Amino acid sequence: MSDVVSTVLFEHPLNEKMRTWLRIEFLLEQLYANSQLNAIAPALTFFRTVSDLLDVLERGEIRTDLLKELERQQQKLLLWADVPGVDMARIQELRAELKETGTVLMSAPRMGQALKEDRLIALVKQRLSIPGGCCSFDLPTLHIWLHMPQSQRDNDVQKWLASLTPLHNALTRVLDLIRQSGPFRNQISLNGFFQDNAEDADLLRLRLSLEHQLYPQVSGHKTRYAIRFLPLDSEKGQVPARLNFELACC
């Protein structure tokens, strides 16, 4: 992270569906950012992330929830038709993109199945829970794979990532639209505390200045939430009586 950043953005899910989506997004970002496997350390980071992703994908009806959200976003776009001056061509274009994304997601194989069935991934996943369990004598398969030409490893990684493309595209579109649905507004917390109604929102987004080195602790659900601001240094840090921050309820 850059030292010149003056603010930091926090996001907090207000339901289990959004919690799962943010975790999947977090893991996918790591996979795409660490796809150059040229040594054991980045390789283990990659495979550990794949393992975490497979565990998350086993929970809940992720494909179904994403398809429902893509449909809901299409219906929300229709509401703009009654707004004077709206660019209906752009609205129709966005709706078509969402429909196509949903069609691809619906027709895709079971999410994560290609990764789950891959022999190398399965072997590594079995050993990740054992401290130091991925040594060369434990996993000679991984050891020799890491000595194959880089082009061969790149092809394998790209094949694995390609199997996640329908999920990645659908999730990216859904989260982008949700994040854009709520504008940031200036708010003030009193003695480190703030609460308000969520109005059936899915996500809270908070932008804080780094000046006071504070972080938010959020509790709540789809109807109401509370935010308590706590100092990074729990012993010497202080919370201002009046703290300005930005909040978007999406």
Side-chain angles (χ1 to χ4, degrees), residues 208-245:
L208 298 177
S209 169
L210 286 176
E211 176 186 1
H212 302 292
Q213 298 187 26
L214 303 175
Y215 64 91
Q217 187 177 74
V218 182
S219 60
H221 45 79
K222 64 180 182 180
T223 59
R224 190 163 183 81
Y225 62 89
I227 305 171
R228 187 169 295 280
F229 295 95
L230 302 173
L232 181 61
D233 186 338
S234 59
E235 295 182 359
K236 299 180 182 179
Q238 295 183 345
V239 180
R242 294 174 63 87
L243 175 70
N244 294 305
F245 67 99

Side-chain angles (χ1 to χ4, degrees), residues 32 35 153-163:
Y32 285 96
S35 58
R153 294 198 301 276
D154 289 344
N155 287 336
D156 288 340
V157 170
Q158 291 308 311
K159 179 184 66 176
W160 295 331
L161 294 180
S163 72

Side-chain angles (χ1 to χ4, degrees), residues 44-213:
L44 286 181
T45 297
F46 181 89
F47 287 116
R48 185 169 285 109
T49 305
V50 169
S51 178
D52 289 347
L53 178 62
L54 288 175
D55 288 343
V56 174
L57 292 177
E58 286 295 318
R59 309 167 192 165
E61 298 293 331
I62 295 170
R63 189 205 303 259
T64 301
D65 287 341
L66 283 172
L67 288 171
K68 288 180 179 178
E69 185 63 28
L70 287 166
E71 178 62 29
R72 187 173 78 94
Q73 292 295 337
Q74 291 182 58
Q75 297 304 316
K76 286 180 66 176
L77 286 171
L78 278 180
L79 299 177
W80 286 93
D82 297 328
V83 178
V86 71
D87 186 349
M88 280 307 299
R90 179 56 179 159
I91 295 297
Q92 294 301 332
E93 180 183 351
L94 287 172
R95 292 190 73 241
E97 291 175 359
L98 291 174
K99 184 176 181 180
E100 174 63 19
T101 300
T103 300
V104 173
L105 179 63
M106 185 180 297
S107 61
R110 184 179 178 183
M111 288 185 295
Q113 192 64 27
L115 302 179
K116 192 174 182 179
E117 294 176 350
D118 187 90
R119 181 171 177 269
L120 179 60
I121 291 176
L123 288 172
V124 177
K125 192 175 189 299
Q126 290 175 359
R127 306 293 304 182
L128 286 172
S129 61
I130 303 172
C134 294
C135 291
S136 60
F137 58 86
D138 284 309
L139 274 176
T141 306
L142 175 62
H143 186 65
I144 192 170
W145 184 79
L146 287 170
H147 284 78
M148 293 297 173
Q150 183 69 47
S151 59
Q152 179 175 332
R153 294 198 301 276
D154 289 344
N155 287 336
D156 288 340
V157 170
Q158 291 308 311
K159 179 184 66 176
W160 295 331
L161 294 180
S163 72
L164 297 171
T165 297
L167 169 64
H168 181 253
N169 290 344
L171 186 64
T172 298
R173 288 194 179 278
V174 162
L175 291 179
D176 282 349
L177 288 170
I178 290 175
R179 285 171 172 135
Q180 293 172 27
S181 67
F184 280 101
R185 293 187 172 90
N186 293 321
Q187 304 287 358
I188 298 176
S189 75
L190 301 178
N191 298 316
F193 185 76
F194 180 87
Q195 64 179 353
D196 201 356
N197 295 321
E199 299 178 355
D200 294 325
D202 293 306
L203 179 69
L204 291 180
R205 311 183 75 209
L206 299 88
R207 187 177 288 139
L208 298 177
S209 169
L210 286 176
E211 176 186 1
H212 302 292
Q213 298 187 26

